[in-house]
Amino acid sequence: MNSFAFLDKAARQRGDAPALIHGDEVVGYRDFHARALAIAGNLHRLGCKPGDRVAFCLANSPRILEVIYGCFAGGLVVVPINARLHPREMAYIVANSGAKVLVHGAEYQAGIADAIDAFEGLAHRFCLEPADGASPYDDLTDARYALSSAVDVEATDPCWLFYTSGTTGRPKGAIWNHRMVRCVVMNYLADLHNIQPGEVVLHAAPMSHGSGIVALPAIARGATQVILEPASFEPKSLFATIERHRVGHVAFLAPTQIIKMLDEFEPGAYDLSSLNAITYGGAPIHVVHLRRAIAAFGPVFVQLFGQGEAPITITGMTARRHQELLDADDPRIGSAGQIRTDVEAHCVDEDDNPLPPGEAGEVVVRGDVVMPGYWNNPEASAEALRGGWLHTGDIGMFDDAGYLFLLDRAKDMIISGGNNVYPREVEEIIVRHPAVANVCVVGIPDPYWGEAVHAVVVTEPGAQVSAKDIIAHCADHLAGYKKPKAVDFVKALPVSGYGKILRREVREKYWQGHDSRIGGGAPVEAQA
């Protein structure tokens, strides 16, 4: 089954219904379907053949979904690029994927032109507005060359390359095939939120990432998808859009966005009564923030845990289960939910031996939602998929009921005086302090302990708190070896284009001048 079939059905069943709304632009399902087939036909006319890659770098707009479904229809492989990347980072993904075509917004033209040598492998470039060296996007939607129907594909044929964020080394392209996309669609509807025909779904996060993936089940159900204006995340604009369009479901938010919503929420200022689901993921959310969010916006939060290598859902928690756990004051409200219906997952030790419930280790997963491998990277594929299980790189623990508690990334674990410390656990305590808005805990070099636990804190506006106060607060809740040895205060923490705190960027400055990034390393000066 070609993944285009979901749009094909929606166009037949709800052709006159609005599919995509962005500001004053409204695209109906019949027109959306026709534009995607035109893109497929024009790409074929340019020499693209099934299996060829087509990249895009676009700010959120209907054009993103047109390109994705145009690639599906043509049997092509779509390569979404994070719109916040530097042009040379874009060029790396284009080159690594072997993309023949790049579609981009006018705002990227200058940067691409400055780094044009790095894009030399491209056969064609299209821009949403007139630009030197690029053809107009409208050429891709020329109806004269539209396909009459989608091409036939096999379930195992690639259709999407999802490039990892590249926080360690070069980004890697996780291969998705049509079977995986079908799993994403059906599993989301079955286990997380059952989107209904005509339901209004709002996109307020990058559609090259989680929000765009949630668009797939929304299209399968013939939902109306509203794309937030402006491009940058502004909570009051979000609230106004929910009120105006009677939004039922916010497709995907990072925890940092939820915290920002809480900061600007004014009870009664907007009618948010239409909301029945807000999906969040991409990073764990601190329990104190989740409780505040449910109190402010109601029992509407849906959690998912996944990654580009196993898109959207390894574990999840429905809005109803959130409320049940909250009402019971159950600590599992701080978990990442339970293993999804058709997924297997458990934790393993350093030798890949399965661990029983209650013991922490790396989370591994298998099922049809798992990628077959990384694009042109057999070594990384073999490492990630060893033993037939995807090794997620996340340290977690399952309890007896199958709830997953994420402790941290394996590579972020702090080893202090021979003791393992998971930053996530320390952060959960610090963020409970009323003066703390956000926090990132890292290990920094220490001549005695090897690594010392160190907290970098953002305070609430106007709040006064000292490092001594934070450490004392931790001492009330944590073993002595887990509390920070020191605390720095900053105005803001660095975040990725997807809203994740860049822990390694926070950590890196403390390790400059050391010959390694583990066990304290050794000062470079000491080696002279």
Side-chain angles (χ1 to χ4, degrees):
M1 172 181 165
N2 188 321
S3 301
F4 185 78
F6 291 113
L7 175 57
D8 198 52
K9 292 178 184 177
R12 286 202 305 270
Q13 296 170 3
R14 295 180 52 78
D16 293 328
L20 310 170
I21 299 175
H22 185 222
D24 294 330
E25 181 184 9
V26 180
V27 181
Y29 265 101
R30 187 173 292 109
D31 288 341
F32 177 16
H33 179 264
R35 288 173 69 85
L37 286 172
I39 290 171
N42 281 286
L43 288 171
H44 282 193
R45 183 174 65 90
L46 293 172
C48 293
K49 298 178 175 59
D52 285 344
R53 277 73 64 204
V54 175
F56 71 76
C57 189
L58 296 165
N60 281 5
S61 79
R63 308 296 80 82
I64 287 179
L65 294 175
E66 290 174 358
V67 171
I68 289 173
Y69 279 84
C71 288
F72 287 169
L76 304 166
V77 181
V78 69
V79 185
I81 298 176
N82 180 355
R84 294 189 178 184
L85 291 185
H86 185 278
R88 291 200 176 275
E89 293 174 303
M90 297 180 195
Y92 173 81
I93 292 174
V94 168
N96 183 264
S97 66
K100 287 188 174 182
V101 176
L102 172 64
V103 181
H104 63 85
E107 61 270 40
Y108 311 113
Q109 171 64 16
I112 292 172
D114 288 343
I116 197 63
D117 289 348
F119 291 87
E120 61 181 359
L122 279 174
H124 303 281
R125 186 158 60 90
F126 291 87
C127 187
L128 300 192
E129 297 178 16
D132 291 341
S135 301
Y137 178 81
D138 288 349
D139 285 0
L140 284 177
T141 58
D142 189 335
R144 292 176 297 171
Y145 304 101
L147 297 186
S148 59
S149 61
V151 303
D152 289 333
V153 298
E154 298 294 330
T156 55
D157 285 345
C159 62
W160 190 307
L161 293 185
F162 186 99
Y163 273 80
T164 59
S165 56
T167 53
T168 55
R170 289 289 199 175
K172 300 185 293 290
I175 301 168
W176 298 5
N177 56 39
H178 287 277
R179 178 185 289 125
M180 286 177 65
V181 169
R182 184 165 71 247
C183 286
V184 166
V185 168
M186 300 309 297
N187 296 338
Y188 190 88
L189 297 173
D191 284 356
L192 291 177
H193 178 62
N194 190 7
I195 300 169
Q196 295 299 302
E199 184 172 353
V200 180
V201 177
L202 178 62
H203 294 281
M207 295 175 69
S208 59
H209 196 61
S211 201
I213 300 169
V214 177
L216 305 179
I219 288 167
R221 280 290 168 81
T224 294
Q225 302 196 66
V226 177
I227 301 167
L228 187 66
E229 285 192 317
S232 59
F233 182 71
E234 296 180 5
K236 289 183 178 178
S237 177
L238 175 77
F239 301 149
T241 303
I242 292 170
E243 179 180 70
R244 176 186 174 191
H245 291 285
R246 304 298 296 161
V247 170
H249 179 31
V250 178
F252 184 89
L253 293 178
T256 51
Q257 291 176 299
I258 295 173
I259 294 169
K260 196 169 183 180
M261 287 170 61
L262 287 169
D263 289 342
E264 299 192 26
F265 176 67
E266 300 174 19
Y270 298 92
D271 180 3
L272 308 180
S273 61
S274 59
L275 272 178
N276 55 59
I278 296 176
T279 299
Y280 68 95
I285 187 171
H286 295 295
V287 174
V288 64
H289 293 147
L290 180 58
R291 289 182 180 275
R292 286 177 58 205
I294 292 174
F297 304 110
V300 299
F301 288 89
V302 178
Q303 183 180 189
L304 59 85
F305 162 61
Q307 55 184 207
E309 294 85 345
I312 287 295
T313 44
I314 294 171
T315 63
M317 188 187 299
T318 63
R320 178 177 178 180
R321 192 60 180 145
H322 273 83
Q323 189 62 54
E324 291 170 348
L325 294 174
L326 188 66
D327 289 345
D329 199 25
D330 192 316
R332 290 177 295 185
I333 189 67
S335 75
Q338 292 173 299
I339 305 167
R340 278 200 314 93
T341 303
D342 67 341
V343 166
E344 294 179 88
H346 60 260
C347 291
V348 297
D349 64 17
E350 292 180 353
D351 297 317
D352 285 347
N353 298 309
L355 294 170
E359 290 195 26
E362 185 176 8
V363 180
V364 298
V365 59
R366 69 182 179 188
D368 284 346
V369 77
V370 172
M371 68 169 186
Y374 293 112
W375 183 258
N376 285 342
N377 198 334
E379 295 83 6
S381 299
E383 174 65 18
L385 298 169
R386 60 187 185 274
W389 294 82
L390 171 66
H391 289 64
T392 65
D394 286 300
I395 294 294
M397 178 190 70
F398 286 97
D399 70 8
D400 290 334
Y403 282 85
L404 173 61
F405 290 82
L406 290 172
L407 300 171
D408 223 298
R409 293 288 297 174
K411 295 176 285 294
D412 293 333
M413 184 176 68
I414 302 165
I415 303 177
S416 183
N419 296 301
N420 292 348
V421 180
Y422 298 108
R424 163 78 172 166
E425 183 180 10
V426 184
E427 290 166 353
E428 279 285 6
I429 298 301
I430 294 175
V431 80
R432 293 182 194 174
H433 194 289
V436 174
N438 214 341
V439 61
C440 180
V441 170
V442 296
I444 66 172
D446 184 273
Y448 181 74
W449 299 105
E451 289 182 86
V453 180
H454 190 85
V456 182
V457 169
V458 178
T459 60
E460 293 285 359
Q464 297 294 320
V465 65
S466 69
K468 185 177 179 180
D469 294 334
I470 297 296
I471 295 169
H473 174 71
C474 291
D476 291 337
H477 300 277
L478 293 170
Y481 71 86
K482 295 183 179 181
K483 67 181 183 181
K485 298 289 191 296
V487 180
D488 284 340
F489 295 92
V490 297
K491 291 182 179 180
L493 291 166
V495 297
S496 73
Y498 301 128
K500 295 182 184 179
I501 293 175
L502 295 172
R503 188 186 303 279
R504 288 175 184 81
E505 188 171 313
V506 174
R507 186 173 183 259
E508 179 60 25
K509 73 173 186 177
Y510 297 99
W511 289 83
Q512 291 178 6
H514 288 254
D515 66 340
S516 77
R517 298 296 186 264
I518 58 172
V524 173
E525 295 80 6
Q527 303 176 49

